[in-house]
Amino acid sequence: MIKVGHEARDSYVAALGCLFPAPAGVTFSQADLDGVATMVVTPDNVIEGRTLFYIHGGGYVHGGIKAYGGLARNYARQLRARVYVPDYRQAPEYPFPTPIEDTFTAWCALLATGVDAKSLAISGDSAGGAMLVTIIRRSHHLIMVCNGAIYRAVFYLLKPAR
């Protein structure tokens, strides 16, 4: 039987939870990045200032911070970085380009907190990878204007080998 709607979302969340169990040695909290609910994951061994902004996948309709919590915790532990995961609104309740707007808003808000750009990385998978490219495009030739402030940004994209 094909699952649809919330049943499909719940199935997706459960499957990712099995694939990426949360490791020990990390804590998580919630933050509000200019109106976008964001999960913040901090490992016990964090290197202060080291930050990852991670954009989850899910085709703009599945996932969310609940589904990607284990993966975010693994990133935090392995990178020894504080990881921010925006819980962008998803379709069909919030159609395109709402997810992109939410993600860009959260990114700008994180920059506005004073995070050191030299210790900041941004990553995404699937739809999150597409939103990462959109953030790059919006950076206006690597100079980003967010809430009236100007940031220089460097982005590095990887494509896995087949």
Side-chain angles (χ1 to χ4, degrees):
M1 183 170 171
I2 296 174
K3 296 178 182 179
V4 295
H6 290 289
E7 186 179 348
R9 284 184 183 170
D10 292 344
S11 178
Y12 186 86
V13 168
L16 281 180
C18 291
L19 283 174
F20 303 107
V26 294
T27 58
F28 71 96
S29 60
Q30 295 290 320
D32 181 304
L33 292 178
D34 200 12
V36 179
T38 302
M39 177 174 59
V40 182
V41 183
T42 305
D44 295 345
N45 63 347
V46 68
I47 296 174
E48 278 308 318
R50 188 178 282 183
T51 306
L52 173 66
F53 185 81
Y54 176 71
I55 309 167
H56 70 78
Y60 304 102
V61 296
H62 296 301
I65 58 176
K66 192 172 177 184
Y68 283 82
L71 182 60
R73 289 176 180 97
N74 277 288
Y75 276 143
R77 186 84 175 135
Q78 295 297 317
L79 297 172
R80 299 179 63 193
R82 187 166 284 113
V83 178
Y84 290 81
V85 186
D87 195 16
Y88 60 84
R89 294 171 291 168
Q90 300 175 3
E93 295 86 359
Y94 299 97
F96 185 85
T98 301
I100 292 171
E101 297 300 328
D102 285 356
T103 301
F104 190 70
T105 296
W107 170 251
C108 289
L110 180 60
L111 289 173
T113 67
V115 169
D116 183 358
K118 290 181 254 171
S119 298
L120 174 62
I122 182 172
S123 177
D125 73 282
S126 190
M131 286 189 271
L132 169 59
V133 172
T134 300
I135 287 174
I136 293 169
R137 289 186 45 89
R138 285 190 172 184
S139 69
H140 304 290
H141 305 291
L142 303 183
I143 297 177
M144 186 176 303
V145 178
C146 294
N147 300 325
I150 298 174
Y151 301 91
R152 295 196 180 275
V154 175
F155 299 94
Y156 183 71
L157 299 176
L158 294 174
K159 179 186 176 291
R162 289 188 178 217

